[in-house]
Amino acid sequence: MDNSRETAGPDGLPLHEVVSVLERLYPPDTAQSWDRVGLVAGDPDQRVRHVLLAVDPTLEVVAEAVATGADLVLTHHPLLLRGIHSVATSTAKGATITDLVVNDVALYCSHTNADVADLGVGHALARACGLDLTQPLQVVEGQDLGRVGDLPRPTTLADLATRLHAAMPPTAGGVRVAGPPGAVVRRVAVLGGAGDSALAAARACGADVYVTADLRHHPALEAREEARADARGRGAEPGTGTPYLVDAGHWASEWLWLPLVRDLLAERLGGSVSLSLSTVRTDPWDFVVGARPPAEDHPPTGPSAPRPGGMP
């Protein structure tokens, strides 16, 4: 993770001034109707000298904020997306809220309003893929969501996935790819976070590859089957139907927004507030067992693997 660039200043600013800057960048009224964004904890008049940026407002992130003297935690994901009836410290959310309040640490969340912004999550992911000029992938509730554009020059699917992997923080799951490694791609659609809902949009825009996260088995398989059927209908080589799929991981694909918003805040807040990226990996997965590329000469094995002829 790149945590090298920081701005520093001893004076700080009132929280409401920092919030005002954030809401000009990511207006709350552009968030999706189901979302919960904005100031979650904190006194609008309290002084903010240090802001910690993270994807998720977890207990470990709040502990890092306390340890580093942060006055404000800015996260992408909301803490209270769904209603709760208790903030007892016996629950994770209750303990998180208590730690914030007891230590005078404010929490602000920019979620889908950051997804749809001109300089938001989609643009950060597009840049990591090598895209400069992009257009909206789709419009949801009147807001542009996701990006699509053409690479300056064609590349292979494997090279695109490798470039993206190098731009993101490491995770146990890495980057999953559906498609031939040597397939040539140029038109790329992206959507940070869970992207099942935009599979049809990625196909409709003529993307060679769709980069997103949290792709479930059935939607991903059906999307690849439709692409293969289309390729077969055109007489193309089997397996080459587009769009190919790249599952970059939810946390990692959205982490790319943090350096972007840090730099935007540094420009707008001057030297009054220091800004740093959380060093906590909030991706929930810790390790992977047995991951390897499939090969024709290595069929499924094990006590439950299918036998020749499809018999169990």
Side-chain angles (χ1 to χ4, degrees):
M1 300 182 187
D2 174 19
N3 197 29
S4 58
R5 178 176 175 179
E6 295 187 359
T7 60
D11 296 333
L13 294 169
L15 174 58
H16 66 81
E17 291 189 21
V18 180
V19 167
S20 179
V21 171
L22 282 167
E23 294 188 345
R24 286 195 295 271
L25 287 169
Y26 310 111
D29 61 2
T30 63
Q32 299 295 295
S33 58
W34 50 265
D35 204 3
R36 297 293 180 267
V37 301
L39 189 62
V40 178
D43 181 344
D45 292 325
Q46 73 184 77
R47 210 74 180 170
V48 174
R49 297 174 178 83
H50 179 199
V51 181
L52 181 69
L53 289 75
V55 176
D56 299 285
T58 65
L59 283 164
E60 192 174 358
V61 167
V62 174
E64 182 183 25
V66 174
T68 59
D71 308 291
L72 169 64
V73 178
L74 169 62
T75 66
H76 181 49
H77 291 143
L79 176 64
L80 303 176
L81 182 59
R82 297 174 180 84
I84 60 174
H85 66 274
S86 170
V87 292
T89 57
S90 55
T91 67
K93 292 188 185 299
T96 302
I97 293 170
T98 298
D99 287 352
L100 288 166
V101 172
V102 168
N103 291 284
D104 292 325
V105 178
L107 173 64
Y108 190 93
C109 305
S110 292
H111 191 209
T112 53
N113 50 330
D115 288 332
V116 304
D118 286 340
L119 293 173
V121 175
H123 286 81
L125 182 55
R127 289 180 182 180
C129 291
L131 298 173
D132 293 323
L133 301 176
T134 61
Q135 298 174 327
L137 173 61
Q138 58 181 345
V139 177
V140 178
E141 295 188 13
Q143 301 295 329
D144 297 342
L145 185 62
R147 309 300 302 174
V148 60
D150 295 327
L151 297 169
R153 60 188 61 84
T155 188
T156 66
L157 181 59
D159 285 345
L160 175 67
T162 300
R163 171 181 180 148
L164 179 60
H165 178 264
M168 299 188 302
T171 61
V175 175
R176 300 187 299 172
V177 184
V184 177
V185 298
R186 183 161 195 175
R187 189 160 180 79
V188 181
V190 305
L191 179 63
D196 282 350
S197 62
L199 283 164
R203 184 181 181 193
C205 74
D208 298 313
V209 57
Y210 176 40
V211 179
T212 187
D214 286 355
L215 288 175
R216 295 170 295 161
H217 173 85
H218 292 295
L221 181 61
E222 290 171 7
R224 291 302 301 138
E225 287 290 275
E226 291 295 338
R228 291 186 181 103
D230 180 65
R232 185 174 68 175
R234 293 183 288 103
E237 182 179 348
T240 59
T242 58
Y244 307 118
L245 304 177
V246 174
D247 190 321
H250 197 128
W251 172 75
S253 67
E254 294 185 323
W255 180 93
L256 293 166
W257 170 68
L258 298 183
L260 175 60
V261 68
R262 175 197 58 191
D263 293 347
L264 291 171
L265 289 174
E267 293 172 1
R268 288 158 175 76
L269 298 177
S272 299
V273 175
S274 66
L275 302 157
S276 63
L277 307 185
S278 173
T279 62
V280 177
R281 177 180 59 83
T282 56
D283 185 84
W285 306 108
D286 294 313
F287 64 92
V288 173
V289 176
R292 65 176 182 179
E296 292 182 2
D297 58 343
H298 290 95
T301 59
S304 300
R307 296 180 179 178
M311 296 298 293

